[in-house]
Amino acid sequence: MNRDKYLNAVKSSLEQNIFYHSLALEACMGGIYDYLSKNNLLKNDKLSKKDWTLAGLIHDIDYVGEFKEFHPNKTKEALAKSNLEIPDEIDKIVKAHAPSLTGIKTESLAQWAIFCADSLTGLIVAVALIYPSKKLAEVKVNSVLKRFLKEPRFAAGTRRDEVKMCELPEGLNIPLEKFIEICLTSMQLIAPDIGL
Ligand SMILES: [Fe+2]
């Protein structure tokens, strides 16, 4: 699977802010995979890092036009417009970021990762935007954590209950602070690509 082709499809289909969010989630998925891999926590997960990151990159591709109301159940159809396909395993990861819309149960580690990280990216971006420089490089784990825990109205669209499920033993089993650190660090590595 050639990332560039999927990247171009996402870029040409989505508005810039959702495109940037897609890149951010792609980076987070890669970072979470690397953390689990380094710590021998991938269990029997058979999916590759490329599967994880591709799911992050394309997870909102049907959030536009005639498919929008069916999001994220029309990923394959939206990709078909660019003559692209994905295997069912990746489609299942994508669907897991919104179980209430797809009926897909969150089971695999990749599914937990996309489910928990999806709305955290927005909070991290919002913290960066507080700084005059608007640079992700300035953001510290603690300032994200504080706003996450103590300022529920800050970046209110963040589904804090879902992000916090990163701690569930049957899922990722990663402490919230570590999870924030992984996602923040991953996004900092691609900051110029997402305008931060
Ligand atoms: Fe998303």
Side-chain angles (χ1 to χ4, degrees):
M1 283 179 288
N2 179 341
R3 178 194 181 243
D4 283 349
K5 289 186 183 167
Y6 293 90
L7 180 70
N8 288 336
V10 173
K11 188 174 184 177
S12 60
S13 307
L14 300 175
E15 285 170 25
Q16 192 187 63
N17 63 335
I18 307 183
F19 171 57
Y20 283 174
H21 161 68
S22 303
L23 290 179
L25 191 57
E26 176 192 32
C28 293
M29 290 294 282
I32 299 164
Y33 181 95
D34 284 342
Y35 171 82
L36 295 172
S37 170
K38 240 185 267 166
N39 292 285
N40 277 321
L41 297 169
L42 278 172
K43 302 177 197 166
N44 299 322
D45 197 282
K46 290 186 192 76
L47 298 163
S48 69
K49 184 177 177 183
K50 273 193 179 164
D51 296 330
W52 283 51
T53 54
L54 184 60
L57 177 65
I58 62 165
H59 80 286
D60 276 342
I61 195 166
D62 64 353
Y63 196 62
V64 68
E66 78 261 40
F67 299 132
K68 192 169 180 176
E69 61 177 305
F70 305 105
H71 167 78
N73 290 296
K74 296 288 181 189
T75 308
K76 289 192 175 200
E77 289 84 343
L79 285 168
K81 285 191 159 188
S82 304
N83 294 314
L84 292 170
E85 295 178 353
I86 44 163
D88 286 343
E89 297 75 56
I90 295 184
D91 193 43
K92 275 187 203 155
I93 304 175
V94 169
K95 285 194 165 84
H97 89 270
S100 61
L101 304 175
T102 60
I104 287 279
K105 245 183 110 191
T106 317
E107 284 172 332
S108 72
L109 290 171
Q111 288 179 319
W112 278 110
I114 204 164
F115 174 75
C116 297
D118 183 31
S119 75
L120 178 58
T121 65
L123 181 97
I124 292 174
V125 169
V127 176
L129 296 179
I130 296 170
Y131 296 91
S133 68
K134 303 195 191 315
K135 294 283 184 215
L136 265 177
E138 306 228 36
V139 178
K140 302 274 180 290
V141 175
N142 255 341
S143 47
V144 179
L145 186 64
K146 231 187 264 170
R147 287 186 169 87
F148 184 98
L149 294 172
K150 297 187 178 151
E151 295 179 32
R153 278 183 300 174
F154 181 86
T158 305
R159 300 183 297 275
R160 285 166 166 77
D161 51 337
E162 295 182 3
V163 177
K164 221 176 169 302
M165 287 165 87
C166 65
E167 300 193 329
L168 289 181
E170 68 267 37
L172 297 171
N173 203 8
I174 302 176
L176 178 64
E177 185 170 356
K178 177 53 85 177
F179 191 66
I180 288 174
E181 182 194 314
I182 295 167
C183 291
L184 172 60
T185 312
S186 305
M187 286 170 62
Q188 282 171 332
L189 289 173
I190 59 143
D193 300 339
I194 54 175
L196 298 166

